[in-house]
Amino acid sequence: MNNQRSFFFNVDWLTILIYLCLCTIGWFNIHAAVFDETHPQIIDLDTEYGKQFIFIISAVVLGAVILLLDSRFFNGLAPVFYVVTVLLLIAVLVVGRNVGGNQAWIPLGSFRLQPSEFAKFSTCLLLARYLSGVNIRITEPKSFFTAAAIIALPMFLIMMQPDTGSTLVFCSFIFILYREGLSPIFLIAAGLAITLFILALLVNEWYIIGALAAVAGAILFFIRRTPQTVITIVAVLAICIAFIFVIKPLYAHFPSHQKARIDELLGITSDKRGIGYNVNQSKIAIGSGKLWGKGYLEGTQTKYSFVPAQSTDFIFCTIGEEWGFAGSVVVIGLYMFLLMRIIMMAERQRSPFSRVYGYGVASIIFFHVIINIGMTVGLVPVIGIPLPFISYGGSSLWSFTILLFILIKLDSNRLGHIL
């Protein structure tokens, strides 16, 4: 009896409440996005919002089951979850259904299972298990490359589908490695590479090289010049110059649709009726909502289906149009609050496994939210990833539910045994 009471009070019910709020917001906006007057019922299993209602109920049940399991179950079976999802990722390449150019779904009757969604939490579990092992130091080459291999295997299989969006989500695990002691030079190098990539597409490479040389010269002028620092700065400059000269040849081999999306985003080309149609209509929808929105089921961009994939990848523009700036701020605020709760839970763990896993949860959700909302407002290329707990889809909702509720379960046991 005391254990039951202890469990009840240790569960982070506030995080569960945020989860339920996001799921409810998602259901109402899916209803608005696909509403058909010939199907006016709130629960109609022939519609996406009817199916999403079932997905939400089953997800809540799934979350409750996770809370009833022993915390050690997730650590012990992490390799099993990982192997199963890897096998599913291989299977989808053989028997998967091609939807929108991606062979990412396994048909199961009227339902389609997307293994890449479940690979996120299984990879997070195995990475947490490995990094929490005895004598594992991410600063050591063996530990670093083993962790990188755990992340890279599902990335490679998902890229084979090809599903660029889901592949890039796994890059967010670098934040786990950074939290566990990886040198910040990797994050700086990644940021510099992205910056140089964008500049090389917009500016003549010789201007960039001149600017880099000037920065390097200024650094050498103001710091103490030792042979080691001079060699380091010159080496970094040489690597940057070499990288600049390979960007355009490398970019030429990008898939044409990805190049078109990047060119549209950077303003190199403008095709509002072609590759830029989705984003342009999404921005129109969000902007037309103004401060308070047009009202539930009153969005014209939504009602007349101007935005493709509006119940999935572009669900945020429904929020912007019908609930306005105020509604958008509420949704973003809920995500920020959720991420703060997750990081707080991760930091208060006594178990290294739970801490690493918590940062994995935060990294995945943060990446999804930033990229999904960013692409609906034209700040990042369209790569097709769902908005957590809000976008339509059973695989997405279930995988995010499992991801979050495992952390809630681990947190509820933070004062108990050390995993």
Side-chain angles (χ1 to χ4, degrees), residues 380-393:
V380 299
V382 177
I383 59 174
I385 61 174
L387 191 59
F389 313 115
I390 289 182
S391 290
Y392 170 76

Side-chain angles (χ1 to χ4, degrees), residues 121-177:
F121 86 82
S122 66
T123 303
C124 192
L125 279 174
L126 186 61
L127 192 61
R129 178 187 168 105
Y130 176 72
L131 292 177
S132 61
V134 179
N135 297 324
I136 299 299
R137 301 289 183 270
I138 199 63
T139 53
E140 298 175 357
K142 180 182 177 182
S143 299
F144 173 78
F145 285 112
T146 302
I150 292 172
I151 300 169
L153 178 57
M155 284 184 72
F156 172 75
L157 293 172
I158 294 170
M159 195 64 204
M160 292 285 289
Q161 296 176 2
D163 185 352
T164 306
S166 294
T167 302
L168 291 176
V169 170
F170 286 79
C171 294
S172 66
F173 286 131
I174 192 173
F175 294 112
I176 301 178
L177 306 184

Side-chain angles (χ1 to χ4, degrees), residues 98-357:
N98 192 301
V99 179
N102 296 336
Q103 190 167 321
W105 287 266
I106 297 177
L108 299 173
S110 60
F111 177 73
R112 299 197 305 260
L113 181 71
Q114 188 174 4
S116 60
E117 291 293 335
F118 298 95
K120 297 167 190 176
F121 86 82
S122 66
T123 303
C124 192
L125 279 174
L126 186 61
L127 192 61
R129 178 187 168 105
Y130 176 72
L131 292 177
S132 61
V134 179
N135 297 324
I136 299 299
R137 301 289 183 270
I138 199 63
T139 53
E140 298 175 357
K142 180 182 177 182
S143 299
F144 173 78
F145 285 112
T146 302
I150 292 172
I151 300 169
L153 178 57
M155 284 184 72
F156 172 75
L157 293 172
I158 294 170
M159 195 64 204
M160 292 285 289
Q161 296 176 2
D163 185 352
T164 306
S166 294
T167 302
L168 291 176
V169 170
F170 286 79
C171 294
S172 66
F173 286 131
I174 192 173
F175 294 112
I176 301 178
L177 306 184
Y178 174 71
R179 172 61 181 82
E180 293 305 302
L182 185 68
S183 172
I185 194 67
F186 287 90
L187 290 176
I188 296 171
L192 180 60
I194 293 171
T195 303
L196 290 177
F197 177 83
I198 295 172
L199 288 175
L201 298 180
L202 298 174
V203 182
N204 183 284
E205 54 263 31
W206 292 108
Y207 293 145
I208 305 172
I209 292 170
L212 289 173
V215 171
I219 293 173
L220 288 172
F221 180 80
F222 286 105
I223 67 171
R224 182 183 177 187
R225 291 182 295 280
T226 64
Q228 184 177 359
T229 57
V230 172
I231 291 172
T232 300
I233 291 173
V234 171
V236 171
L237 179 62
I239 293 171
C240 290
I241 292 173
F243 181 65
I244 289 169
F245 280 113
V246 302
I247 287 174
K248 287 186 178 178
L250 180 66
Y251 186 61
H253 290 86
F254 274 36
S256 57
H257 69 282
Q258 292 181 4
K259 287 172 58 180
R261 288 172 177 173
I262 294 172
D263 289 347
E264 180 74 21
L265 175 69
L266 297 178
I268 298 172
T269 60
S270 181
D271 185 10
K272 302 301 184 186
R273 295 186 178 181
I275 196 69
Y277 177 81
N278 288 17
V279 175
N280 185 53
Q281 293 298 322
S282 175
K283 291 194 288 186
I284 291 172
I286 294 172
S288 66
K290 298 182 180 179
L291 180 58
W292 300 109
K294 296 177 179 177
Y296 187 56
L297 299 180
E298 297 299 325
T300 53
Q301 295 290 109
T302 297
K303 184 182 295 184
Y304 298 112
S305 303
F306 282 103
V307 185
Q310 193 161 350
S311 63
T312 52
D313 298 342
F314 284 88
I315 190 68
F316 188 75
C317 72
T318 303
I319 297 170
E321 182 177 26
E322 299 200 344
W323 305 100
F325 178 78
S328 301
V329 168
V330 168
V331 171
I332 294 173
L334 283 172
Y335 278 121
M336 291 178 63
F337 192 27
L338 176 63
L339 287 168
M340 289 170 58
R341 297 292 302 176
I342 291 171
I343 293 173
M344 182 194 73
M345 281 193 282
E347 284 295 333
R348 71 188 182 190
Q349 301 306 307
R350 297 168 61 198
S351 159
F353 172 83
S354 301
R355 182 188 67 244
V356 175
Y357 181 79

Side-chain angles (χ1 to χ4, degrees), residues 11-41:
V11 169
D12 196 318
W13 295 106
L14 181 56
T15 299
I16 294 177
L17 178 61
I18 299 170
Y19 161 82
L20 293 174
C21 287
L22 289 170
C23 289
T24 303
I25 290 170
W27 184 83
F28 275 107
N29 283 280
I30 291 168
H31 179 260
V34 299
F35 180 73
D36 184 352
E37 293 182 356
T38 61
H39 294 273
Q41 297 88 351

